[in-house]
Amino acid sequence: MSKHIPVIIITLPLLFAFVLPVLGFAGAGPRVRNFLVTAVFIAVNIMIFSLIPSVSLDGGIIYYALGAIDPTVATPEGLDFPVRILLKIDGFSLFIAIIIGIVSLTSYIYSTGFIEEDGKTNYFAVIFMLLTAGLLGMTFTNDLFNFFVFLEVASIAGATLTSYVTWKKHPPYAGFKYLLISSIATTFFLLGVGLCYAQYGSFNIEYINLSLSHSLLDRIALVFMISAMAMKAGAVPMHIWVPDTYSEAPTPVTVMLKTAGIVCLYALFRISFSLFGNPLSGIVNSINNTTLGWIVIILGVFSMFIGVSMALIQHDVKRLMAFHSVSQVGYMLLGLGVGIAVYTNNDNGQAFQIFGKVAMAGGIFHIMNNAFYKSLLFLTAGVMEKRFGTRNLDSMIGLAHKDLFTTIAFVIGALAISGIPPFNGFASKLLIYESVYMFSPMLSIIAMFVSVLTLASFMKVFYSSFLGPRREDLIVNDKKIPLGMTIGMLVLCVLVVLMGLFPDIVINNLVEPAISGLVNLK
Amino acid sequence: MNFAEHLLKQDIGVFWYPAIMLLILLFIMLIFYIWGRLYFRKDYNADTDQVKPYNSGNLDEVNYSLKSSNLYWGFRKSMEGYFNFLRSLHNGDLNDYSKWFVIFIALCLLLVGGGFL
């Protein structure tokens, strides 16, 4: 295995983002472009998967010091503190990178059938790759300022892609909205980074964590960073931009925006644990994790409930699914919150070992499950939009007669998000229900109730758009679904089913190392 | 703790081994299939009205005018106040979005800076 793989994973899509326009000027057609981009994403996936044995299975951590003669040493100059930009790949960052790799590959393959060739599609591919590079950079970097830079890259690319359909009225507004929200979030994140740098003279996450004095400035930095990431992840009450943006973006972009939200959630986990979580430091004035945990739990419960409530009354299929994204973020925050709340209990970590860790495992497993089934659902929504020329559920009927595969894909996704066995959503939700029940039964009951409402909401979509008589007059696009769109959905269907049938493989080999990468409770 | 064990063991009151459950389900379906082939009615005819949906004795096509916005009407009506409040929050105004962010940060700073956290 090459020692340069961590940096190649980020730079390969970045490099090809600049190569594609040159190829376009040289006269390369859409087939060459799609082949190249797909090959790049496959290569990125292969490289990410090649790290699993050394990182996830052996529990190792890979460091990569940019620009050093020996990049595998964290401090190549022999100093006590790192002076170079460091990439760090542990179980958790690899876990998120796997999600980014798979989702970007499937959504790009889907986009080859979804985005119509209009002479500008080359730009779409370029920005798509920039977005992927930004997300991978955010995941692998161990440097706060570097994280901010990648966050900006991903945000600007996301806003550009959202407003890709410039000839329609709403997408440019949605892109502008996303850009403004991202700007506010990144500004506050940068303020937090500045506060840390002013005190410790470094951007390195591990170095700051070891030097942390838990001063008032540290706490303010924590609030700025967590709030910014919570807003980008779409947590209530800062979620309101999510349906506006997700519904107007082209479907493959919606899926990538959702993945960007997941990466911001990853950053929230990282900031909570790797940067500010230092329960073994013995500092008396350290942050009260129980209160912090309860704040995250309350955020999670509100996200779940408000998200699903709003989804129930939507008639725009993509808005409905966007509200469910908010709702599902709530489950992850609930798992994380319970983990944080019992992280520093005065019981030698017993509560954390018994159910806190399982709650976090459920939350983290749910991130991957949600990424796959939610992407699948958005992709099926793209087919509905193509067929009926609208996203309004009132104007859809009988799609099952036309697209049997899309119907099956939708049913798989809908059952998975509702936590119905044997799909992957059930496995992670079961972990969350059980562990949260041991913490507080009422929270677990709320989580189950939200799942019921989720199922009710997707029953509505299924009834409205797939059931009923065949109505050719409502269908505006009678063409066969392009192969790319089918492949994109098929890959995600297979993953959703396999991860539901064999959750232990994912939990043992990916989720458990991800937890180990996040917390170091002895 | 081994999470897979946690997921699979019965000590927490849940048995979840989806591969086995799926096999059991397939086995049950096979039994029903064989039973059906042997004993179920054989006068099924796909070319007659018997395959059409039954709609309270009305032999015409089932009325499909019930749209998405009609579903869960009672639920929505009974909780109209709650949904109207939620709708008013999701008004699409960016100023309001920023307002919520400021409120959230202010609350958190109060908790943290005020010594509650």
Side-chain angles (χ1 to χ4, degrees), chain A residues 95 103 145 148 188 204 337 362 494 511 513 522:
Chain A
F95 179 81
V103 173
F145 192 77
F148 163 76
F188 274 89
N204 190 281
V494 170
V511 177
K522 301 282 185 286

Side-chain angles (χ1 to χ4, degrees), chain A residues 195 214-227 276 285-289 291-293 295-296, chain B residues 103-117:
Chain A
L195 287 176
H214 295 278
S215 63
L216 182 64
L217 279 182
D218 284 336
R219 294 169 182 215
I220 294 172
L222 168 73
V223 170
F224 282 170
M225 289 186 192
I226 282 196
S227 308
F276 288 99
N285 291 326
S286 66
I287 287 168
N288 183 344
N289 275 30
T291 316
L292 180 66
I295 290 176
V296 178
Chain B
I103 290 172
F104 182 76
I105 284 200
L107 276 176
C108 287
L109 282 177
L110 200 67
L111 279 172
V112 172
F116 297 106
L117 190 62

Side-chain angles (χ1 to χ4, degrees), chain A residues 17-340:
Chain A
F18 291 98
V19 167
L20 281 182
V22 179
L23 285 176
F25 283 126
R31 277 173 179 262
V32 176
R33 181 199 62 226
N34 288 340
F35 174 77
L36 262 181
V37 177
T38 309
V40 166
F41 282 134
I42 289 173
V44 165
N45 272 289
I46 290 172
M47 284 190 283
I48 291 171
F49 276 88
S50 74
L51 297 175
I52 290 179
S54 55
V55 175
S56 295
L57 302 184
D58 295 343
I61 296 175
I62 297 175
Y63 286 99
Y64 191 91
L66 288 168
I69 294 169
D70 184 3
T72 54
V73 182
T75 51
E77 283 79 11
L79 300 168
D80 289 338
F81 51 89
V83 291
R84 293 176 183 276
I85 291 175
L86 268 185
L87 302 180
K88 178 188 170 188
I89 303 179
D90 59 16
F92 193 37
S93 47
L94 188 64
F95 179 81
I96 299 294
I98 290 169
I99 295 173
I100 299 170
I102 292 175
V103 173
S104 51
L105 174 66
T106 49
S107 60
Y108 187 78
I109 293 174
Y110 182 91
S111 77
T112 58
F114 188 86
I115 303 288
E116 285 166 19
E117 293 292 339
D118 57 357
K120 290 197 307 175
T121 323
N122 225 9
Y123 301 126
F124 177 86
V126 168
I127 303 166
F128 197 95
M129 295 194 103
L130 279 178
L131 176 58
T132 309
L135 296 180
L136 286 168
M138 283 166 70
T139 310
F140 283 162
T141 189
N142 197 33
D143 180 287
L144 283 176
F145 192 77
N146 202 229
F147 180 90
F148 163 76
V149 172
F150 281 121
L151 181 64
E152 284 279 286
V153 170
S155 300
I156 294 169
T160 316
L161 285 175
T162 304
S163 48
Y164 179 75
V165 188
T166 47
W167 54 92
K168 285 186 182 172
K169 184 182 171 188
H170 295 298
Y173 281 113
F176 184 63
K177 210 171 258 188
Y178 185 72
L179 191 65
L180 273 181
I181 289 295
S182 300
S183 306
I184 295 169
T186 46
T187 306
F188 274 89
F189 187 83
L190 187 63
L191 275 174
V193 173
L195 287 176
C196 288
Y197 186 73
Q199 294 181 88
Y200 307 111
S202 175
F203 291 119
N204 190 281
I205 292 176
E206 282 180 343
Y207 180 76
I208 295 174
N209 179 250
L210 291 172
S211 322
L212 212 60
S213 62
H214 295 278
S215 63
L216 182 64
L217 279 182
D218 284 336
R219 294 169 182 215
I220 294 172
L222 168 73
V223 170
F224 282 170
M225 289 186 192
I226 282 196
S227 308
M229 289 302 106
M231 180 154 87
K232 286 277 288 175
V236 166
M238 301 161 293
H239 67 288
I240 317 176
W241 62 273
V242 171
D244 297 354
T245 310
Y246 284 17
S247 58
E248 293 300 337
T251 300
V253 178
T254 310
V255 172
M256 288 307 287
L257 292 181
K258 168 78 196 151
T259 313
I262 284 172
V263 176
C264 290
L265 201 66
Y266 157 82
L268 202 151
F269 277 49
R270 269 273 177 250
I271 292 163
S272 305
F273 285 90
S274 302
L275 187 61
F276 288 99
N278 197 2
L280 303 178
S281 65
I283 296 171
V284 179
N285 291 326
S286 66
I287 287 168
N288 183 344
N289 275 30
T290 309
T291 316
L292 180 66
W294 269 105
I295 290 176
V296 178
I297 289 169
I298 291 167
L299 266 184
V301 170
F302 274 112
S303 299
M304 281 194 296
F305 215 82
I306 292 178
V308 82
S309 300
M310 281 304 289
L312 265 176
I313 56 173
Q314 298 303 314
H315 308 305
D316 177 326
V317 63
K318 280 180 78 179
R319 262 185 94 79
L320 182 144
M321 290 183 183
F323 274 113
H324 277 296
S325 294
V326 176
S327 172
Q328 297 302 307
V329 167
Y331 282 95
M332 301 162 204
L333 289 176
L334 182 62
L336 168 74
V338 171
I340 294 177

